[in-house]
Amino acid sequence: MKHRIAAKTLLAFGLLTGALSPHASAAIPIGPNSNVQVGGFFSQGYLKTEGNNYPFPAADGTFMFREMGFNASTTFGTHIRAGAQVFAQRLGDYGEDKALLDWAVLDYNFRQEIGVRVGRIKYPRGLYGEVLDLDVVRPFVFLPLTQYSPVLRDFSASFDGAMLYGSLNFGRVGTVDYKFFYGDIPVKPSQGVSDFMLNTGIYKTNPGITAMNVDYVTGGAIDWNTPLAGLKVHVDYSYLSNVNATGLFAFVPFPAEVVSGLKKYAFTTYGLEYTRGSWVLAAEYLKVGGKVFTLIPRAPVDYRYAGADSWYVSVARRLGTKWELGAYLTRIENAYPTPGTPTKQRQTDDYAVSVRYDVNEHLLFKLEWHQVNGEFNFINTPRNPNPRATRKDETTVFAAKTTLTF
């Protein structure tokens, strides 16, 4: 069974990350003599919250919680691979089941030490940034929400550009996998990421954000597979340049546009993952932030700094052939709080417990419970209202999810 799980994990990783590693060849071929492989998944969930709306409104319970994807890949000779995935999701009023091109890459692997990818590429941020939608590799319904917010998936899922990657073998010291990339992240006012800007409160909520753009994203990631079997060390750094959002200014009675944005918004992640037998232990620290600007008509440009520090520790254990348990503790803190801000307004803790049951190799079920303490990092917009006056100190979240993979 362990071998079946490992094979399934490698197959899904190759398909869904767009890495198109040699493991992707284990996907389902469309014919006995074909090198075209196809795969996909469909997830349907249920969410119920008490307290605040987190990560999206579900106070009355909602089934508007699902994800789906279809992918295909092929090879040309021994060095070239190509593939793509279409993805859609529904998170309350986010996503609306609209099909998007999640990744589409052309990959030329010169040799193990060096390769090149071009196209729409998965964003290698954090230990699990490239497997955001891959239920099969973990027991959790939600990865730690302080670092992997599904609402802000548009900032972290993929980018259009190029990547240089490879794996270097240092003998007894272990191996190092590296990725360096440059590109653009297409963002739209209809996406969840627009609420990240609308949450500042400087825009009229109707019509809200009317235009968004990102100049470019660039960065790199390194994974050191240490001599200690199962231990991986991860480091990455990347930043978005000139994230701009345009909308009507909330504080004047006449129509006037205001532009705010992030001059340079950087992400720095340090992570550890240790796999031993049926156990998986992981921890990550993320520092995110940068200079924020606001362009108000007939006023000087306003500059300030904004950001957050977050971390989590998690543990998961496989129990036999059907069950897996998981738990994590995560915290996020405002890196630039106003002096005198109460702890509950500048910090949020999230305790999560999960259980997973595999019906067979294609169908699984998950249940998850969260106890969230604090008020920081909540979005307050028309799609996800959390007004300060009624915000609670505690929030509980119950999530159920079933996933079919093929």
Side-chain angles (χ1 to χ4, degrees), residues 259 263 291-296 298-304:
V259 178
K263 192 69 176 177
K291 183 179 285 188
V292 180
F293 67 87
T294 305
L295 300 174
I296 301 172
R298 295 181 294 279
V301 180
D302 175 55
Y303 288 103
R304 57 187 177 86

Side-chain angles (χ1 to χ4, degrees), residues 167-180:
S167 181
L168 306 176
N169 191 331
F170 293 98
R172 294 183 179 180
V173 179
T175 62
V176 172
D177 301 326
Y178 70 87
K179 297 169 184 174
F180 298 102

Side-chain angles (χ1 to χ4, degrees), residues 58-314:
D60 298 324
T62 181
F63 286 97
M64 291 197 297
F65 174 28
R66 54 186 166 267
E67 300 152 353
M68 60 202 84
F70 177 80
N71 51 69
S73 64
T74 190
T75 59
F76 301 92
T78 58
H79 295 284
I80 300 176
R81 292 178 178 270
Q85 174 168 284
V86 176
F87 174 82
Q89 69 174 359
R90 185 68 182 252
L91 304 172
D93 288 335
Y94 297 102
E96 299 179 341
D97 297 317
K98 292 182 178 179
L100 302 172
L101 184 62
D102 189 30
W103 55 265
V105 298
L106 181 65
D107 186 308
Y108 187 87
N109 182 240
F110 297 90
R111 50 187 296 167
Q112 177 179 307
E113 292 80 7
I114 186 168
V116 176
R117 296 185 189 117
V118 295
R120 179 159 293 180
I121 305 169
K122 298 297 286 185
Y123 193 159
R125 181 159 66 80
L127 285 169
Y128 308 115
E130 294 176 297
V131 290
L132 290 172
D133 315 305
L134 201 52
D135 274 333
V136 72
V137 299
R138 56 180 176 262
F140 306 112
V141 174
F142 294 111
L143 285 166
L145 292 163
T146 56
Q147 302 197 17
Y148 298 101
S149 170
V151 172
L152 303 181
R153 185 181 185 277
D154 318 298
F155 261 174
S156 56
S158 54
F159 66 93
D160 295 340
M163 174 183 286
L164 183 70
Y165 71 94
S167 181
L168 306 176
N169 191 331
F170 293 98
R172 294 183 179 180
V173 179
T175 62
V176 172
D177 301 326
Y178 70 87
K179 297 169 184 174
F180 298 102
F181 59 93
Y182 178 91
D184 171 59
I185 296 181
V187 289
K188 300 178 181 179
S190 60
Q191 295 174 322
V193 69
S194 67
D195 276 14
F196 178 73
M197 305 301 296
L198 191 61
N199 195 50
T200 61
I202 68 172
Y203 302 94
K204 292 184 184 296
T205 55
N206 187 11
I209 303 297
T210 57
M212 288 195 71
N213 74 279
V214 177
D215 279 0
Y216 63 86
V217 59
T218 187
I222 293 176
D223 288 293
W224 174 33
N225 303 295
T226 72
L228 178 60
L231 178 61
K232 179 170 71 174
V233 179
H234 174 90
V235 178
D236 69 67
Y237 173 79
S238 61
Y239 69 87
L240 308 175
S241 178
N242 287 325
V243 182
N244 297 330
T246 303
L248 296 181
F249 192 34
F251 301 107
V252 295
F254 53 87
E257 281 194 343
V258 60
V259 178
S260 74
L262 310 166
K263 192 69 176 177
K264 180 181 178 180
Y265 207 60
F267 304 85
T268 305
T269 310
Y270 304 96
L272 293 171
E273 183 186 68
Y274 181 53
T275 302
R276 184 177 178 85
S278 300
W279 293 87
V280 179
L281 308 175
E284 289 190 81
Y285 170 81
L286 170 66
K287 186 173 185 63
V288 56
K291 183 179 285 188
V292 180
F293 67 87
T294 305
L295 300 174
I296 301 172
R298 295 181 294 279
V301 180
D302 175 55
Y303 288 103
R304 57 187 177 86
Y305 286 90
D309 300 323
S310 61
W311 57 264
Y312 76 85
V313 290
S314 70

